[in-house]
Amino acid sequence: MQVGNARYLRPQDLPETLPVFPLTGVLLLPGSQLPLNIFEPRYLAMFDDALAGNRLIGMIQPFFGESREEAGQAHVQALCQVGCIGRITSFAEMEDGRYLTSLTGICRFRLFDELHPTKGYRNFRIAPFATDLNGPDDEAQVDRKALLAAFKAYLDANKLEADWESVERASNATLVNSMAMMSPYGPAEKQALLEAPDLKTRAETLIAITEIVLARSFGDIETILQ
């Protein structure tokens, strides 16, 4: 995986510990870009430290099931167990002190032990998903026709437009991951898309979620998809 001027070919190319940025409903996937507006002091400190170091941040969602706290840690927000490592690939400091940044996804990771907080933000030992570093090897297995049909049905039902020339030029991996990240679905759906074991399954999950949403909102899904 090439991101900016850095290459990540093996798990050993990634750190064993990582600062994490919890955001509900926000999804980062390998090879995709996520713009961020940073203004909280602890996360400004996190990005300062990342820029001075390896430029890596872990994007992850807070736990969205029944309310719970981390075992043995009162008042500590529980997190989902899988997130995505991102490298800071663009950065601008605003006059009001905010940072406008962009992360490019490298690979997913699983949380392990939490370390002592640094400057108010949280750090964890992690295990990267090594298979993500080689890029998807199942692009040809994605049912592009079904994916585009579901996408078009959603746009039509909500009276939205798309740049179809760009859509047609996009690779299957770019198309699936971009649609998953931009989808207006909830935290559970976003986490399911993140944790899909491969690109083909992520595409199938995205199609299924879209069809469920359309059926609940508009009724006859067969008519909508025609």
Side-chain angles (χ1 to χ4, degrees):
M1 173 73 71
Q2 177 85 32
V3 180
N5 61 3
R7 299 183 73 191
Y8 305 96
L9 304 178
R10 306 166 302 161
Q12 294 88 333
D13 296 329
L14 293 162
E16 295 181 356
T17 64
L18 195 69
V20 299
F21 189 1
L23 277 180
T24 300
V26 174
L27 176 62
L28 176 64
L29 291 167
S32 301
Q33 292 193 329
L34 176 67
L36 292 169
N37 178 14
I38 311 299
F39 53 88
E40 250 189 273
R42 57 179 167 169
Y43 296 126
L44 292 171
M46 173 194 288
F47 275 78
D48 283 340
D49 290 345
L51 285 165
N54 57 24
R55 298 194 175 197
L56 300 181
I57 300 286
M59 294 303 303
I60 200 161
Q61 289 200 97
F63 184 73
F64 48 79
E66 294 182 8
S67 178
R68 68 176 176 87
E69 297 170 341
E70 295 288 6
Q73 301 184 63
H75 311 300
V76 175
Q77 184 181 43
L79 304 176
C80 292
Q81 291 301 295
V82 176
C84 185
I85 302 172
R87 179 178 172 87
I88 301 171
T89 46
S90 71
F91 173 84
E93 186 172 5
M94 302 293 100
E95 292 183 357
D96 60 5
R98 291 178 298 121
Y99 292 166
L100 298 183
T101 73
S102 181
L103 297 182
T104 299
I106 297 171
C107 72
R108 293 169 294 170
F109 66 89
R110 188 173 300 278
L111 289 183
F112 285 119
D113 301 331
E114 182 166 8
L115 308 179
H116 185 74
T118 301
K119 302 178 185 177
Y121 62 83
R122 300 170 72 181
N123 292 272
F124 285 81
R125 289 189 177 88
I126 63 156
F129 285 34
T131 53
D132 288 349
L133 298 175
N134 300 320
D137 58 5
D138 59 342
E139 281 199 72
Q141 298 178 38
V142 172
D143 189 340
R144 187 182 180 98
K145 182 178 179 181
L147 183 66
L148 290 177
F151 181 47
K152 184 176 186 304
Y154 184 89
L155 294 177
D156 290 347
N158 290 278
K159 297 181 172 58
L160 299 173
E161 298 291 337
D163 180 356
W164 286 104
E165 288 187 11
S166 296
V167 170
E168 292 296 337
R169 289 197 301 267
S171 67
N172 283 349
T174 299
L175 189 63
V176 172
N177 289 339
S178 296
M179 288 174 61
M181 286 179 59
M182 293 186 296
S183 65
Y185 305 135
E189 290 80 7
K190 288 292 182 74
Q191 194 67 23
L193 292 167
L194 175 66
E195 295 186 19
D198 50 46
L199 190 70
K200 177 177 180 290
T201 306
R202 183 172 299 133
E204 292 169 348
T205 302
L206 184 57
I207 292 167
I209 292 170
T210 302
E211 290 179 349
I212 290 169
V213 169
L214 288 173
R216 286 176 177 171
S217 301
F218 302 100
D220 188 353
I221 185 66
E222 295 297 332
T223 300
I224 294 171
L225 289 174
Q226 289 177 356

